Amino acid sequence: MELWFTGTNAGMPIADRNVTSIVLRLAETRGEFWMFDCGEATQHRLLRTPLRITRLEKLFVTHLHGDHVFGIPGLLSSRSSLGATAPLQIYGPSGIRELIDSWMGITETHLGYPLSVCENTEGIVFEDGDYSVRCAKLDHRIECYGYRVEEKPRAGALLVDRLERAGIPPGPLYGQLKSGLDVELKDGRIIRSADVRGPAIPGRIVAVLGDTRPCAGAVRLSERADVLVHEATFGGNLADKAELYGHSTAEQAALTAREAGVSRLLLTHFSSRYGAEDIAELVQEARTLHPNTDAAVELTPYAIARARNES
């Protein structure tokens, strides 16, 4: 599992930073990836990564400001032109369905795959056997959401030495025990799966927040996340401007991360006024409150390690 940032700038693109879009690449065995927001030119930036648009499975939209959605029509059209047939699901605030229907209708864009659009209510918006996704409202100038992705726990490793002591040779029985099934041996003994497996391996937690002032929803979504992606539009000297426009400073992002017990904080959505040296200063501001903080760098993969208490 890893994160890619195809845009980290706020408001509009600049020469070396595009507007907001974040990709969560799922486990290699699954193959698909999910996207959070889709600013203008996102599909262009994806061409510079190993990610293929046809493998996009879900798009989670935080809010309907242009720097977060203007890339959607082109992305949907190109996904179809490239031959994708697998369904695509879009989740977002009220109005997202009307916006997409208008784009598709006025431009007479026809897709070669099923598209479903779900307008959020707070709580779980998606769940399957591997992941769940929960959303909650944030505090921005318009309706805005953050998302919490939780990977389901995995079964613990087989305790092979214990199986060998019980006289169970490698073979099909190992697979059954690994999958959680109890087995009966020829001599009548019952081997319980729970007795020959190590502790369950906790899943990873990733929180991706939209634009927001500090708020309770941001803390709830971020609680004990392995990675929190949080906007840092301004430095601390512009806290009044951040409050006025519904944004956070780097220090405020770090406070949320610290309160929520986050392992790693990745800052994004930087004002166009900031160059590379300025962003380094924002990171230092945040690190005074949450040491494990970095500024997201576009087109760089960020691996998400397994949970801290995994043996």
Side-chain angles (χ1 to χ4, degrees):
M1 183 186 283
E2 62 189 12
L3 286 165
W4 290 75
F5 293 79
T6 60
T8 60
N9 209 56
M12 62 182 183
I14 59 176
D16 56 353
R17 297 200 304 269
N18 194 37
V19 285
T20 296
S21 185
I22 301 156
V23 166
L24 178 61
R25 191 179 192 184
L26 302 172
E28 288 291 337
T29 54
R30 184 161 175 143
E32 295 87 5
F33 67 92
W34 297 349
M35 182 180 290
F36 298 83
D37 289 334
C38 185
E40 181 184 357
T42 290
Q43 64 170 318
H44 293 263
R45 305 292 276 177
L46 284 173
L47 295 174
R48 298 171 59 184
T49 75
L51 304 165
R52 297 166 54 193
I53 294 177
T54 53
R55 305 307 297 272
L56 174 63
E57 184 182 69
K58 297 183 184 299
L59 169 60
F60 299 93
V61 177
T62 63
H63 64 294
L64 300 185
H65 278 155
D67 58 322
H68 295 254
V69 300
F70 283 166
I72 293 176
L75 185 83
L76 297 182
S77 179
S78 292
R79 188 177 185 273
S80 184
S81 296
L82 290 168
T85 57
L88 175 64
Q89 293 83 37
I90 298 179
Y91 304 82
S94 56
I96 184 68
R97 182 180 291 108
E98 180 183 0
L99 187 66
I100 292 174
D101 286 348
S102 296
W103 277 332
M104 298 296 100
I106 292 171
T107 60
E108 297 188 7
T109 299
H110 302 285
L111 304 179
Y113 55 85
L115 176 68
S116 63
V117 181
C118 176
E119 296 191 340
N120 292 338
T121 56
E122 291 191 293
I124 292 177
V125 296
F126 169 77
E127 186 168 22
D128 66 6
D130 298 317
Y131 302 95
S132 67
V133 182
R134 179 181 300 275
C135 77
K137 284 186 177 180
L138 303 176
D139 182 12
H140 192 41
R141 290 181 293 149
I142 63 173
E143 182 182 350
C144 185
Y145 290 88
Y147 296 92
R148 176 184 176 91
V149 180
E150 294 191 35
E151 182 183 40
K152 301 291 180 69
R154 296 193 315 179
L158 277 181
L159 304 175
V160 177
D161 58 340
R162 190 171 295 180
L163 291 170
E164 290 175 344
R165 288 197 300 270
I168 304 171
L173 293 182
Y174 277 36
Q176 295 176 41
L177 291 165
K178 173 68 175 176
S179 66
L181 298 175
D182 299 336
V183 300
E184 183 176 359
L185 304 181
K186 291 181 179 179
D187 60 11
R189 286 182 295 157
I190 302 296
I191 306 298
R192 301 192 183 283
S193 175
D195 295 336
V196 294
R197 284 186 297 151
I201 300 171
R204 289 160 285 190
I205 300 173
V206 181
V208 180
L209 306 188
D211 295 0
T212 187
R213 302 178 182 94
C215 65
V219 175
R220 287 199 309 273
L221 287 173
S222 307
E223 185 176 1
R224 292 196 58 77
D226 295 284
V227 178
L228 166 62
V229 178
H230 198 300
E231 67 130 297
T233 309
F234 298 109
N237 62 323
L238 293 176
D240 290 345
K241 187 178 288 290
E243 173 67 22
L244 178 64
Y245 290 104
H247 291 294
S248 294
T249 67
E251 291 174 325
Q252 289 169 337
L255 279 170
T256 293
R258 186 173 71 176
E259 184 176 349
V262 168
S263 293
R264 187 179 191 187
L265 172 62
L266 293 176
L267 302 177
T268 188
H269 200 267
F270 306 110
S271 167
S272 299
R273 73 189 67 217
Y274 297 130
E277 292 184 1
D278 304 307
I279 290 175
E281 291 180 6
L282 296 184
V283 171
Q284 290 306 314
E285 289 181 15
R287 284 178 177 170
T288 63
L289 298 168
H290 191 276
N292 193 12
T293 297
D294 292 291
V297 177
E298 295 184 17
L299 307 180
T300 298
Y302 290 86
I304 304 170
R306 289 223 166 251
R308 290 165 289 192
N309 58 342
E310 178 186 352
S311 57

